[in-house]
Amino acid sequence: MAGDLGPSEGTGPVDPGAREGSAVLSDRTYDRILEPRSDRRLPLGDGTWHQLARAYVRVQLITQGAVFVLVIVAAVAAQVITGVRWQWIPAGVILLITLIGLIITPRQARSFGYQLRHDDLVFRRGILWQRVVAVPYGRMQLVDITHGPLDRGFGIAQLKLVTAAASTGVTIPGLTQEAAEHLRDTLVAVAETRRTGL
């Protein structure tokens, strides 16, 4: 059963993926989470961490590369049409930000991870600015899967968990389509059992 998280008396990390979905959740993903080197980083803790699909980085690089090219084309076209060069100032700022994004995206994507524990889902991301969120299964109100045309072409999707408190909502980008569907079914089944137990 997708929602089977093991004995109800357990409080430690329990991963439903370890039974039947581990291959689905770990298929075509990175093998380990990159962490900051500082001793003051947020600890990973115990349990199995699942990561984003490798295709997520390719989609991000294509998207940011397209923005980079469009900004250059727009700036050149504006210069040819108007004969002025002031448009290179905002274009340069946008190009610099996009270039930084292109450089850090592969490392940033490897800092994302999620873990299915007995009572909650833990999501972490970030190298410089770390964020770790634990979403209790019983508080989940909606599990939403979205994907654009480029995402579909690379077989990835984004899974969004909505709770009563907006600050605890989580969006996990770059899951494989199979992992997103498996995770959605698992979370819905587990959330139902947790709510009935309240």
Side-chain angles (χ1 to χ4, degrees):
M1 180 177 173
D4 183 15
L5 290 178
S8 59
E9 65 273 15
T11 56
V14 177
D15 187 357
R19 292 188 175 84
E20 65 187 49
S22 183
V24 173
L25 296 178
S26 299
D27 186 34
R28 302 187 313 261
T29 65
Y30 292 104
D31 55 357
R32 69 181 182 88
I33 294 179
L34 293 183
E35 293 186 275
R37 295 184 180 96
S38 170
D39 292 335
R40 296 183 180 155
R41 66 183 181 268
L42 295 172
L44 278 175
D46 298 327
T48 301
W49 286 91
H50 301 286
Q51 290 195 266
L52 306 185
R54 294 175 185 270
Y56 172 74
V57 172
R58 291 193 288 275
V59 169
Q60 291 300 306
L61 293 178
I62 290 170
T63 303
Q64 293 173 15
V67 169
F68 194 87
V69 170
L70 286 174
V71 170
I72 290 176
V73 169
V76 169
Q79 183 173 346
V80 169
I81 293 170
T82 64
V84 297
R85 297 183 179 174
W86 63 265
Q87 74 279 358
W88 285 104
I89 296 171
V93 172
I94 295 171
L95 290 173
L96 179 62
I97 293 170
T98 306
L99 183 62
I100 291 170
L102 285 166
I103 293 169
I104 67 171
T105 290
R107 181 169 175 81
Q108 182 187 42
R110 294 190 63 186
S111 71
F112 283 75
Y114 62 95
Q115 184 182 75
L116 300 169
R117 300 194 302 185
H118 190 269
D119 294 314
D120 54 22
L121 178 141
V122 179
F123 174 73
R124 63 172 287 133
R125 70 174 187 190
I127 298 291
L128 293 177
W129 289 274
Q130 290 184 282
R131 182 183 185 206
V132 177
V133 180
V135 183
Y137 296 129
R139 301 299 173 122
M140 292 180 192
Q141 295 183 336
L142 175 69
V143 182
D144 183 27
I145 295 176
T146 58
H147 51 142
L150 194 56
D151 294 336
R152 284 194 298 275
F154 282 86
I156 62 172
Q158 171 178 286
L159 186 135
K160 183 176 182 181
L161 309 173
V162 179
T163 63
S167 60
T168 59
V170 166
T171 299
I172 307 175
L175 298 173
T176 64
Q177 185 69 37
E178 298 81 8
E181 292 172 359
H182 175 81
L183 193 56
R184 177 200 58 201
D185 295 342
T186 300
L187 293 174
V188 167
V190 175
E192 283 302 315
T193 62
R194 293 297 187 272
R195 275 195 289 269
T196 56
L198 289 177

